[in-house]
Amino acid sequence: MSAIAGPRPWSRASGRERLGTVSYHGLMTAMVLAYIFPALWAVSMSFRTDENMFAADQLIPHPVTLQHYARLFEALPGLGQYFLNTVVIAVLGTAGTLLSSSLAGYALARFQFPGRGVLLATLLLTLMVPVHATLIPQYVVFRELGWLNSALPIIVPLLFGTPFASFFFRQYFLTLPRELEDAAAIDGAGPWRAFFRIMAPLAGPAYLALGLLTFVSLWNSFFINSIYLAKQSSWVLTQALQSLIGRYTAQYGAIMAGVTLVSLPILIGYLVFQRWIVRGVSMTGLAN
Amino acid sequence: MSSTPGRTHSGRAASRRSASLSTRRSRTALLFVLPQVVGLIAFTGVPLVASLGYSFTHWDLVAPAPTFVGLDNWAHLLSDDRIPAVLWNTVRFILVGTTSLLVFSLIAALLTFTPRRGVALYRAALFLPYVLSQIAVGVVWRWMFNTNSGPIAGIWEFFGGDSPDWLLDPATAMPSIALVTTWQTIGYGMTLYVSALQGVPASLLEAATIDGANRWQRFRHVTVPMISPTVFFLTVTSLIGAFQLFDPVVAMTSASAGPATAGGPSNSTRTIVLYMYNQMFNYSERISGLGYAAALAWMLALIIFLITAAQFALSRRWVHYDDPVVRASRKRARA
Amino acid sequence: MGLRRKSLRIAGLLGGLSLLVSACTGAPAPSVSGGPSAAQPATVRVMLWGNDADVTSIKDAAAGFTTAHPEITIEWETGDCGVDYAACKTLVAGGNLPDVFVMGSWNYFEAARDGVTADITDLLARSGTPTSDFTSTIIKGMTSADGKLYGLPMGYNIQSLFYNKAMFDKAGLSYPAADGSYTYDDLRQWSAKLTLDKAGRNATEPGFDAKSIKQYGYFNFAAGPIEPGYAPVLAAFGGGILGGEARNQCTADASGTIDGFQWLQDLMWKDHSAITPQLHQEEPGYARWVRGQVAMQQGSHEQVLNVQQQNPTLAYDMAALPKGPAGNATLAQIHIWAMAQKSEVKDAAWTFLHYMATDGAGKQMGLIPAYKDVASGPAFAQGKGEPAGLVEAQLTPATWPLTVTNLDPSVVWSAVSSQDGVLPAIEDIVMNRKTASEALSGICAQRIDPLLKSVK
């Protein structure tokens, strides 16, 4: 049946297996709870009164207050706009990165062409030079293009793919068996068809994983946005949250309320995609 | 040399056919990589080459134009006595941070890979820290490390230790930052590992089971080679990222907000990129400015490049590619 | 063939580089005289920083300008230029610096030295506004050695003592004199008496348990460790990290500096009556004061807003900072309206800048206005919900002879205050790793003087 990994469904649960399941869940629950404690702490802070903001016994806030959420919307009336701006950047950026970089990664993994080694080395080199060193020349490029004070410097480069993603896709495509493309070639499918009909669906887990990571990093990115998005109407969510911090003091409750709200869509998205990942795998499972 | 002339002839024809095929394929390949190449040249390549160019100039960013100074910045690298310290700080981070990231995210992936009830929830939970915005991470972890009521000190003292001051102590500040970044990025590593594990054909695992391989042997001889390209990807990219450690240091150690006063206590967390940033923007020494920062950046790139090249060379021994080109070259290398 | 293609690509990249370099040289700065007059329509880009309340306060203050000058359109932007000079540098290098922005006293002279901000001395003279209309300490500090101004003050903040009245009442102590006629010795004694352990014993009583403190006496941002915290203390003890008219001489190992730091260390570590860096890391000291867990703190006017937001029922008042061995002293931090040297709409930019510093003065970023008597009017001193001691604690101290600003005329502070400079020594003091004298003796000759020499 399925050619792709995934342990067989338990045909019958023996006592030993049930014990294993129980101890697995016990162990995992304990570990995961300890692991996400600091994150829960952040969420918990958003529901605490200022009086209890840093008290060690307030993991479950008592009393619970929603005042910081109210304060957040009062301080940042443009929150809906910032949310939309963030969505546009994250969605377009992720889609562009996935398409362009998977094409490049596939070619790097499967085709022999002049300059292949140079291209791979160049991709890696761009990762090696710290971003701050290229910040100013990049800024000048965007000024020459007339793109300053807009989201174009953030979105457009992503549409052409990122070196990081291209390198990732190269590595992933190298793990996939070649026989499938060979078979497709014998059937007369050209490289484009072979890619879009066979290889890309096969790499579904890679698309989902990298798409998720790209989306999250765009969603949370601050530095580059703060440089190009100077008009308040073009702000993204991280910039809005940052504006709750003064030079020496900060509104911790409102910040954590903002962080909670900003993280929520991603977590929900993750749980939804989680199913797709599993289903995607069983569907591309190449019934043979 | 037992081959008949006929066979030789048809062999030549085949090779001619495959030559034209490979030209066509290489033309297709260029189309595949076109967007990435255009993007690379337009948005990354020019600034990259420009930054290399700037390393031969002095420019404080506010003067009308850079001044060409030849190798002055590069020569200064050799006499800058702050460089060994910032490199050592970076290495200290890598020893703790990168190693634990690679190991723990694989463990997290293995523990949550098996499709069972509840696994999706565990995985989402393990991914949560990666989703959390850096603003919250700084605030929460500074609290986590406080010695008055912080859980880290609490655990330490529970096991009988005398808790150090963590972020406030030069000896423990960098390991503390490594702990935080590992905590933040395990979800990221796990996601990549899981996608790789899903690429492991069940048929191979089944075949190994039939051959009598136990769980560990299946993992060691089937799973590990199959996911090795992803392991390799993670190793290469997280080392590159570790050498560029910057944001967490600023978030956790800056006295005022901002990189100008970050890197303490007593310079124990000043990394090479933080130093580069300071030289580019904050310092006004004779050498300071984009020129020297670019030289520092390229020195760092050179170090990473050498390490990455070594990783690529070593990868031939342990990374398994299903690629005839690589296989052939590996065979050649072995011969 | 492969080689040719490669060399072509490199040639293309190099072409791009030369274009970049030429782009960076930029166009020459347009002069004011040739520019459009203020009556002509113009768009002025104004960049703001600060938290949401700061930004709103400035936009509100500018409402009158829009009415008075309909021909000038203000385009608001937010960015770190002014609070962080690095952000200004990026904008300058990229040729995208806004026309008007807000500098801080901590980087005002660096921007002036670099030619980033415009010299407005003549413009001010022509406008008919005399410099005497501004608070004299502030405007004098902003004037360069050769008599030039590179901006006008938006306002300033002053470090004062904020105290919890209920705690003073309960301890039977009389309140600190609002005019600052008490001493650092007094403050230290109060701090100890206001520090209580679980059993209710104060820090001066026998049997006081320093491990179970419920209420602390004092918080100073020196626990950060940041300059607004320690600078006023050092000045009152007759010291300071840097001294001299041009603030370019190291006095970090002078006896006044050492005594001031030792006073801070003693409160934290000998008396156990002040918030230590560890405690500050657990919960910021100012937040502890706001919620009524610390009796006194040194802070600026923003604490009034903190109380309004987080604990409006707190019974508190403020007093001027105490007298040290050298006298009364505090620190003033100034926010400054400045305009770009390269602005193409200098006339309109100046019109706006001048308005914001004069007619529009007051109620900007929660600061004390430095224009005429706006500070004593409804914009500040008579504002709603202000504590009784406001005028004496915030306005008078600006005129004390020992009061310092963190203006940096020699542009050396960022180096001196960094991890390469004095910061590790200060960390050692506030963490109690070394006494002030151990940490600071010889630091000028060994660390700071070479650093001062290396700065161009």
Side-chain angles (χ1 to χ4, degrees):
Chain A
M1 223 196 63
S2 166
I4 301 295
R8 293 137 297 157
W10 309 99
S11 41
R12 63 196 153 80
S14 70
R16 213 182 127 200
E17 273 163 358
R18 216 175 297 134
L19 187 70
T21 308
V22 169
S23 56
Y24 168 83
H25 283 298
L27 200 73
M28 283 305 287
T29 310
M31 257 171 41
V32 161
L33 280 180
Y35 182 72
I36 62 169
F37 175 80
L40 295 179
W41 193 256
V43 175
S44 148
M45 281 175 84
S46 74
F47 293 107
R48 292 180 205 166
T49 58
D50 283 308
E51 162 85 28
N52 295 329
M53 193 53 68
F54 292 91
D57 61 350
Q58 287 279 331
L59 178 61
I60 294 160
H62 49 273
V64 172
T65 174
L66 291 176
Q67 70 182 60
H68 301 301
Y69 288 84
R71 167 83 191 115
L72 180 74
F73 286 99
E74 178 196 306
L76 304 169
L79 216 51
Q81 179 67 46
Y82 310 147
F83 179 79
L84 282 181
N85 295 342
T86 315
V87 168
V88 168
I89 289 178
V91 167
L92 289 179
T94 305
T97 301
L98 288 183
L99 179 64
S100 300
S101 280
S102 66
L103 287 173
Y106 180 67
L108 283 169
R110 285 297 203 254
F111 295 123
Q112 273 288 65
F113 58 94
R116 176 166 110 146
V118 175
L119 179 58
L120 182 62
T122 314
L123 288 174
L124 286 167
L125 187 68
T126 63
L127 296 178
M128 294 169 189
V129 179
V131 285
H132 305 103
T134 52
L135 179 72
I136 303 289
Q138 201 148 38
Y139 197 91
V140 174
V141 168
F142 293 130
R143 188 193 62 191
E144 291 303 300
L145 291 167
W147 290 359
L148 292 186
N149 302 319
S150 78
L152 292 177
I154 298 158
I155 298 174
V156 176
L158 294 170
L159 299 180
F160 291 88
T162 65
F164 179 84
S166 296
F167 178 42
F168 172 76
F169 276 111
R170 172 196 184 257
Q171 293 303 106
Y172 198 87
F173 281 117
L174 283 175
T175 66
L176 297 181
R178 278 186 84 84
E179 287 75 14
L180 295 154
E181 292 146 289
D182 293 346
I186 288 164
D187 289 348
W192 291 97
R193 245 189 91 179
F195 176 77
F196 281 109
R197 301 300 288 276
I198 297 169
M199 297 314 282
L202 251 188
Y207 278 95
L208 283 166
L210 195 82
L212 183 73
L213 297 178
T214 310
F215 192 90
V216 172
S217 70
L218 291 174
W219 192 263
N220 281 340
S221 110
F222 171 73
F223 181 66
I224 200 81
N225 294 326
S226 70
I227 287 172
Y228 290 109
L229 305 176
K231 290 217 178 70
Q232 203 163 336
S233 58
S234 62
W235 269 12
V236 292
L237 289 168
T238 44
Q239 285 171 284
L241 291 189
Q242 200 71 37
S243 77
L244 297 172
I245 300 177
R247 250 192 116 207
Y248 302 115
T249 63
Q251 308 169 41
Y252 292 100
I255 291 168
M256 292 309 172
V259 166
T260 305
L261 288 183
V262 167
S263 309
L264 213 55
I266 300 195
L267 260 195
I268 292 171
Y270 188 85
L271 282 168
V272 171
F273 272 100
Q274 189 66 41
R275 290 196 184 156
W276 288 16
I277 291 176
V278 178
R279 202 192 303 159
V281 172
S282 56
M283 274 163 63
T284 56
L286 316 160
N288 48 3
Chain B
M1 302 289 122
S2 61
S3 57
T4 63
R7 272 191 70 187
T8 314
H9 177 76
S10 75
R12 222 179 270 151
S15 87
R16 213 180 301 136
R17 225 182 303 127
S18 82
S20 79
L21 186 75
S22 85
T23 321
R24 191 149 25 95
R25 275 179 71 83
S26 83
R27 220 175 289 144
T28 315
L30 290 178
L31 280 178
F32 268 80
V33 298
L34 187 67
Q36 175 68 89
V37 169
V38 169
L40 204 58
I41 292 173
F43 304 116
T44 325
V46 171
L48 205 65
V49 176
S51 78
L52 187 59
Y54 283 128
S55 75
F56 302 101
T57 68
H58 278 181
W59 190 29
D60 61 4
L61 297 175
V62 287
T67 346
F68 181 77
V69 292
L71 289 171
D72 188 41
N73 292 321
W74 290 91
H76 192 79
L77 287 177
L78 300 174
S79 61
D80 188 340
D81 53 11
R82 287 179 282 206
I83 290 178
V86 295
L87 277 176
W88 172 235
N89 286 339
T90 308
V91 169
R92 282 169 60 227
F93 171 79
I94 290 169
L95 289 177
V96 189
T98 312
T99 328
S100 54
L101 166 66
L102 292 172
V103 172
F104 287 118
S105 48
L106 179 59
I107 292 176
L110 290 170
L111 282 174
T112 60
F113 170 61
T114 325
R116 299 191 209 205
R117 190 173 304 177
V119 147
L121 217 55
Y122 296 143
R123 224 189 277 168
L126 290 171
F127 192 65
L128 181 61
Y130 186 69
V131 175
L132 208 64
S133 151
Q134 186 76 40
I135 305 173
V137 172
V139 172
V140 170
W141 276 94
R142 274 180 189 241
W143 179 84
M144 291 286 293
F145 279 120
N146 94 74
T147 45
N148 201 43
S149 61
I152 308 276
I155 293 167
W156 193 268
E157 276 155 17
F158 178 81
F159 288 107
D162 192 9
S163 175
D165 287 320
W166 305 110
L167 289 170
L168 300 174
D169 184 330
T172 47
M174 191 53 113
S176 302
I177 289 172
L179 176 69
V180 179
T181 55
T182 302
W183 176 79
Q184 257 186 296
T185 43
I186 278 180
Y188 153 87
M190 175 192 72
T191 306
L192 294 182
Y193 276 131
V194 165
S195 77
L197 286 169
Q198 279 167 339
V200 179
S203 54
L204 276 185
L205 291 168
E206 273 160 25
T209 316
I210 292 163
D211 288 350
N214 64 26
R215 204 176 258 236
W216 166 248
Q217 286 167 325
R218 283 200 305 263
F219 175 69
R220 175 67 193 81
H221 297 292
V222 181
T223 309
V224 168
M226 287 301 290
I227 65 167
S228 58
T230 301
V231 179
F232 179 63
F233 169 83
L234 256 175
T235 317
V236 169
T237 52
S238 46
L239 255 179
I240 293 176
F243 270 104
Q244 299 180 359
L245 180 71
F246 179 78
D247 287 343
V249 173
V250 175
M252 312 284 285
T253 71
S254 183
S256 57
T261 51
S266 295
N267 268 324
S268 62
T269 61
R270 180 157 73 175
T271 59
I272 180 87
V273 175
L274 178 59
Y275 179 53
M276 183 201 87
Y277 184 97
N278 289 155
Q279 279 290 8
M280 180 164 163
F281 284 123
N282 305 126
Y283 294 178
S284 17
E285 293 162 23
R286 179 191 68 84
I287 199 84
S288 303
L290 179 55
Y292 189 54
L296 280 165
W298 279 88
M299 177 198 76
L300 175 65
L302 191 71
I303 294 173
I304 306 177
F305 188 84
L306 292 176
I307 290 172
T308 309
Q311 282 176 288
F312 267 87
L314 285 173
S315 75
R316 284 163 205 236
R317 292 167 183 261
W318 64 275
V319 179
H320 173 279
Y321 293 121
D322 193 36
D323 177 33
V325 183
V326 177
R327 254 185 300 192
S329 77
R330 201 177 294 160
K331 224 170 270 170
R332 245 178 287 128
R334 246 180 251 136
Chain C
M1 191 195 118
L3 191 70
R4 221 182 76 208
R5 186 173 300 147
K6 208 182 290 176
S7 60
L8 268 178
R9 188 185 298 167
I10 289 167
L13 287 176
L14 287 179
L17 175 64
S18 68
L19 179 133
L20 272 178
V21 172
S22 67
C24 290
T25 46
S31 64
V32 174
S33 51
S37 84
Q40 274 171 328
T43 300
V44 178
R45 289 172 57 210
V46 181
M47 182 170 272
L48 305 176
W49 50 268
N51 63 23
D52 59 293
D54 294 333
V55 170
T56 313
S57 71
I58 291 177
K59 289 184 179 171
D60 289 349
F65 178 81
T66 329
T67 327
H69 294 276
E71 79 282 4
I72 297 175
T73 311
I74 302 299
E75 217 168 73
W76 300 106
E77 294 176 16
T78 53
D80 279 345
C81 177
V83 64
D84 180 7
Y85 189 54
C88 301
K89 285 185 175 176
T90 306
L91 290 163
V92 171
N96 192 36
L97 190 69
D99 301 300
V100 177
F101 39 87
V102 184
M103 296 305 294
S105 35
W106 51 95
N107 51 33
Y108 165 80
F109 276 112
E110 187 167 13
R113 177 201 68 184
D114 290 346
V116 169
T117 43
D119 171 2
I120 55 114
T121 326
D122 294 340
L123 290 168
L124 182 67
R126 256 185 275 156
S127 76
T129 310
T131 48
S132 58
D133 275 3
F134 300 95
T135 311
S136 78
T137 340
I138 303 299
I139 202 83
K140 262 187 207 144
M142 284 171 52
T143 310
S144 70
D146 54 355
K148 299 211 180 307
L149 278 171
Y150 296 87
L152 290 177
M154 165 197 282
Y156 57 98
N157 68 45
I158 287 277
Q159 295 286 314
S160 305
L161 187 80
F162 290 77
Y163 59 92
N164 183 313
K165 292 201 317 205
M167 288 181 184
F168 270 78
D169 292 341
K170 214 171 164 193
L173 295 169
S174 53
Y175 300 149
D179 63 355
S181 56
Y182 58 99
T183 65
Y184 272 95
D185 287 336
D186 297 334
L187 181 53
R188 183 172 175 179
Q189 279 174 22
W190 299 337
S191 179
K193 283 188 182 146
L194 289 162
T195 301
L196 304 176
D197 69 7
K198 229 186 232 163
R201 280 182 293 255
N202 73 48
T204 64
E205 284 172 313
F208 168 76
D209 179 14
K211 287 217 157 66
S212 70
I213 297 175
K214 293 285 284 177
Q215 172 185 313
Y216 280 90
Y218 180 66
F219 167 67
N220 183 303
F221 254 115
I226 54 174
E227 190 198 16
Y230 59 73
V233 182
L234 302 190
F237 278 81
I241 306 292
L242 291 174
E245 191 73 359
R247 288 250 290 172
N248 61 356
Q249 281 155 31
C250 178
T251 52
D253 53 7
S255 64
T257 315
I258 292 176
D259 293 347
F261 272 123
Q262 192 57 52
W263 184 88
L264 286 163
Q265 190 190 48
D266 285 347
L267 262 76
M268 291 180 199
W269 296 100
K270 204 180 257 171
D271 303 352
H272 303 288
S273 74
I275 300 297
T276 61
Q278 283 93 333
L279 291 164
H280 183 55
Q281 193 191 343
E282 181 193 25
E283 174 179 8
Y286 71 87
R288 293 169 186 265
W289 178 82
V290 169
R291 72 177 175 87
Q293 202 219 0
V294 174
M296 301 177 282
Q297 73 159 328
Q298 179 192 304
S300 67
H301 187 259
E302 66 194 337
Q303 298 305 333
V304 174
L305 191 71
N306 278 338
V307 172
Q308 280 167 12
Q309 271 177 7
Q310 299 179 12
N311 191 6
T313 58
L314 185 76
Y316 76 101
D317 207 336
M318 57 204 294
L321 291 184
K323 212 188 291 254
N328 280 105
T330 189
L331 171 80
Q333 297 198 84
I334 315 163
H335 295 192
I336 298 157
W337 283 109
M339 59 195 252
Q341 166 70 21
K342 285 191 176 174
S343 169
E344 288 174 9
V345 288
K346 263 192 179 160
D347 287 334
W350 165 250
T351 310
F352 176 76
L353 186 162
H354 183 257
Y355 176 88
M356 293 303 278
T358 55
D359 295 343
K363 292 201 171 170
Q364 295 176 31
M365 297 181 94
L367 300 170
I368 307 169
Y371 182 63
K372 273 187 181 163
D373 17 313
V374 178
S376 44
F380 188 75
Q382 297 157 29
K384 257 190 207 159
E386 295 289 351
L390 183 76
V391 171
E392 278 173 295
Q394 291 271 285
L395 297 187
T396 326
T399 62
W400 288 339
L402 279 179
T403 289
V404 287
T405 65
N406 58 356
L407 284 156
D408 182 22
S410 302
V411 196
V412 292
W413 178 248
S414 73
V416 171
S417 63
S418 73
Q419 283 286 332
D420 283 324
V422 76
L423 191 50
I426 299 177
E427 285 164 359
D428 284 344
I429 295 169
V430 296
M431 288 292 294
N432 203 30
R433 286 193 279 262
K434 289 177 182 169
T435 66
S437 136
E438 282 166 2
L440 293 170
S441 292
I443 196 171
C444 286
Q446 284 157 25
R447 262 178 99 99
I448 311 295
D449 289 341
L451 203 62
L452 287 169
K453 269 189 210 108
S454 77
V455 172
K456 57 175 188 193

